Amino acid sequence: MSDEYYLELSENPVQFENASSVNNVFFDEANKQVFAVRSGGATGVVVKGPDDKSSVAFRMDDKGEVKCIKFSLGNKILAVQRTTKSVDFMNFIPDYPHLEFSHECKTKNANILGFCWTNWNEIVFVTDQGIEFYQVLPDKRTLKLLKSQSINVNWYMYCPETAVLLLSTTVQGNVLQPFAFKSATVSKMSKFEIELPAVPKPAKLSLSERDIAVATIYDQLYVMYLKHHSRSTNSPGAEVVLYHLPREGTCRKTHVLKLNTTGKFALNVVDNLVVVHHQSSQTSLIYDIKLRELDGALNVHQPVLPARSINPYKIHLTGPAAAPSQAPVPCELYSSSWSVFQPDIIISASEGYLWYLQVKLQPTLNLLQDKGKLMDFLLRRRDCKMVILSVCSQMLTGGDKGNLSVVATVFDKLNQVYKEYLDAEQAYTAAMESGPSRSSTSYKRPVRTQAVIDQSDMYTHVLSDFTEKKGVKHKFIIAVLMEYIRSLNQFQIPVQHYLYELVIKTLVQHNLFYMLHQFLQYHVLSDSKPLACLLLSLESTYPPAHQLSLDMLKRLSTANDEIVEVLLSKQQVLGALRFIRSVGAHDNVSARKFLDAARQTNDTMLFYTIFRFFEQRNMRLRGNPGFNQGEHCEEHVAYFKQVFGENALMKQATA
């Protein structure tokens, strides 16, 4: 069963003093910090963040119960709310006075519900009568009002990732008014209504903040509404309704996640997956909104995988009561003391742990049988490369050897992503080469994600091993290789020569020379110099490979030197000379190279013929049959004289 847990808690959690030893525990979503506050005399605060830099401990005067406490970005300024009328501030900037200063909300009779830092020195107070947006001036220990907005507020929610604040308005609380913050400015976005379940009159439902979460999924901002089961509608269970909230334009209901059960739920977003935790069954479900199952204008989604618990987690006991040899104890998963925060944080205040929720991809391989759907799912995940390559290997050599149509589907899905990346890279390069312009400044270098599986990845991790596997029929091996090449061609991706070499080696290994000949004859394997050289090396096994290689080199037309080298190495000196004459390059070739090759054949008449050819060339070009000193042919002239006599040398024509 352990290999089926596709969710786990991070191995190195953030540890803080648990709720039993402190008065209050607060979590700041923007900085991912936990504040453990202990009061009595002076107030002691221990702040724990994701790393040592963001962790700090300090004391402050006890001026009453702390309702909310948060650092601005970079731990520069601390804000503490103790009353409903004001917020206290303390500088943590080096060389600034470490004194507290306070600011009251400007709206009369308003109560502060809370506050959000939108920048290191910008803060928004949320009151029951609207928002007040301030700039904090730490050197002057005062605040400057940038903008205020009046609106009745029930509760609020802030998304630090996008700096969007959501206010619940109206009696039922289901009309949401978003505001977007950016460098000292605030803009009012389009308000929208959350559809509440129908209930029999005169009963009325109101929207609770417990049922709302805000998160970024696939770079888009969504408001997630947990719509509970309504007896009157006979619905089979609760659902999560996603409202897409664009920067400009209206917010629309775009996705519905069917939970198929009822009870208490909590939401996380991990690696662009919506995770729904169900307390009573102690299981979680995951949804991928890009795996579409269209139902009219809405996308209705079922869970991608069967419900599973989070992987069991053990806690190492610490403190004076813990014995050194004491074994770790199991953590109570889905505990009522758990608090869930966006996007991927789970906090157990009772145990003093903050975890990041993580998705494990390997277990999904056995839980999602449809290879096409599995590939769609994996290609959108962050750390997917090695898992995808293992799926490919398993598909070809494992117990579930895929049929060719499944293999083709998988290859096409991989190469579509590969092609999109290549096109983006090409467009970026072209934009950069064209020089600075308005259009080129908008081009960002494409990020090569792990979903880009290129030819070298497939060759190294999948195909080369696959061709060596015993017990796999060679016809299937060749069909798979050709299927991958077909897919690359379909997406107009130039095929690397090492893939063709793999095909040729496989064909030769199984003595399928007839098929090799056909592949070359009908240009199934594209011409290249490395391929031609490989064919030459096969001559002893398959003699026609020599001619096939020469034909290929001729077709390449840029490979004349290679063809000459190949023919000379085979001691086909006359053949090389004929070839050079056929392409009109005989006036420029090195005489010495041909004379060396002719000498090595120990055929004196062949040497005579080649020597005479170059004498005639010299005569035609320079009017003198002799060789220039720079041609370094003295040794061959001496040999010619020795064998044929000095009188055999060609005489210079006399006028």
Side-chain angles (χ1 to χ4, degrees), residues 53-262:
K53 280 183 189 172
S54 54
S55 301
V56 65
F58 56 90
R59 302 181 82 76
M60 55 190 186
D61 294 339
D62 194 346
K63 296 179 183 176
E65 186 191 346
V66 174
K67 295 180 183 297
C68 184
I69 181 167
K70 293 174 192 174
F71 270 117
S72 71
L73 300 177
N75 287 9
K76 287 186 168 61
I77 307 166
L78 179 74
V80 185
Q81 184 193 346
R82 296 183 175 98
T83 73
T84 57
K85 300 297 178 187
S86 66
V87 176
D88 302 327
F89 295 89
M90 190 188 287
N91 284 331
F92 275 74
I93 303 167
D95 305 324
Y96 274 68
H98 204 59
L99 301 169
E100 281 193 36
F101 55 101
S102 189
H103 192 88
E104 286 192 12
C105 69
K106 77 173 196 70
T107 313
K108 282 186 180 176
N109 303 321
N111 293 314
I112 299 174
L113 301 176
F115 61 84
C116 309
W117 286 103
T118 61
N119 206 332
W120 78 268
N121 65 340
E122 287 162 21
I123 193 168
V124 57
F125 290 5
V126 183
T127 74
D128 54 4
Q129 292 180 35
I131 59 169
E132 299 173 15
F133 186 37
Y134 293 99
Q135 183 178 38
V136 183
L137 306 168
D139 50 340
K140 295 178 181 174
R141 294 170 54 223
T142 184
L143 274 69
K144 173 188 167 187
L145 182 68
L146 298 172
K147 190 165 184 179
S148 63
Q149 180 88 38
S150 293
I151 183 172
N152 286 332
V153 181
N154 303 306
W155 49 264
Y156 72 95
M157 197 159 280
Y158 182 63
C159 176
E161 197 180 347
T162 53
V164 168
L165 177 68
L166 211 58
L167 304 179
S168 158
T169 69
T170 70
V171 178
Q172 285 185 279
N174 65 326
V175 174
L176 301 181
Q177 174 62 65
F179 289 91
F181 296 84
K182 191 177 182 182
S183 54
T185 61
V186 55
S187 51
K188 194 175 184 180
M189 298 163 73
S190 300
K191 67 180 177 184
F192 62 99
E193 187 175 337
I194 299 280
E195 289 175 35
L196 298 173
V199 289
K201 290 180 179 178
K204 273 192 176 179
L205 280 178
S206 62
L207 182 66
S208 163
E209 64 185 300
R210 284 196 307 270
D211 296 332
I212 292 288
V214 186
T216 302
I217 308 168
Y218 292 116
D219 301 320
Q220 298 296 314
L221 186 61
Y222 288 91
V223 175
M224 300 187 285
Y225 166 46
L226 184 53
K227 189 176 183 181
H228 290 281
H229 167 68
S230 167
R231 288 196 183 94
S232 61
T233 56
N234 296 318
S235 60
E239 53 193 35
V240 177
V241 184
L242 266 60
Y243 291 81
H244 178 225
L245 186 55
R247 282 277 167 179
E248 291 170 9
T250 54
C251 179
R252 290 184 308 109
K253 181 168 136 181
T254 51
H255 299 271
V256 175
L257 317 181
K258 294 287 187 184
L259 305 186
N260 306 316
T261 186
T262 59

Side-chain angles (χ1 to χ4, degrees), residues 464-534:
S464 56
D465 288 345
F466 169 57
T467 57
E468 301 295 323
K469 280 277 178 188
K470 290 185 169 69
V472 183
K473 290 181 180 175
H474 62 260
K475 282 185 181 175
F476 182 62
I477 292 174
I478 292 155
V480 166
L481 294 175
M482 296 316 296
E483 198 55 60
Y484 185 60
I485 288 168
R486 185 253 345 133
S487 180
L488 291 168
N489 285 328
Q490 183 178 311
F491 287 97
Q492 296 177 311
I493 301 169
V495 182
Q496 295 296 320
H497 65 83
Y498 47 75
L499 290 172
Y500 289 137
E501 287 175 18
L502 197 58
V503 173
I504 291 173
K505 283 174 182 171
T506 307
L507 291 168
V508 170
Q509 199 177 339
H510 297 284
N511 295 321
L512 297 169
F513 297 114
Y514 167 73
M515 197 179 282
L516 170 61
H517 210 110
Q518 280 197 318
F519 280 177
L520 292 164
Q521 200 172 355
Y522 294 108
H523 307 298
V524 174
L525 307 176
S526 297
D527 297 343
S528 73
K529 290 179 188 176
L531 209 57
C533 292
L534 175 65

Side-chain angles (χ1 to χ4, degrees), residues 343-358:
D344 55 354
I345 286 166
I346 294 173
I347 292 179
S348 172
S350 62
E351 290 164 327
Y353 279 87
L354 178 153
W355 295 282
Y356 291 93
L357 187 65
Q358 297 167 340

Side-chain angles (χ1 to χ4, degrees), residues 579-637:
F579 170 73
I580 280 298
R581 290 187 70 175
S582 72
V583 295
H586 52 293
D587 286 351
N588 304 315
V589 294
S590 159
R592 182 182 171 178
K593 182 187 285 188
F594 278 80
L595 292 168
D596 282 347
R599 277 278 297 277
Q600 284 171 5
T601 63
N602 295 322
D603 182 339
T604 51
M605 287 318 296
L606 174 66
F607 181 78
Y608 182 90
T609 307
I610 299 299
F611 192 91
R612 184 66 82 215
F613 169 82
F614 284 106
E615 279 189 318
Q616 288 168 347
R617 182 188 78 167
N618 295 344
M619 192 73 161
R620 179 166 46 80
L621 295 177
R622 300 195 296 268
N624 185 336
F627 294 92
N628 284 342
Q629 196 173 354
E631 292 182 274
H632 305 295
C633 291
E634 296 83 0
E635 180 192 336
H636 295 300
V637 172

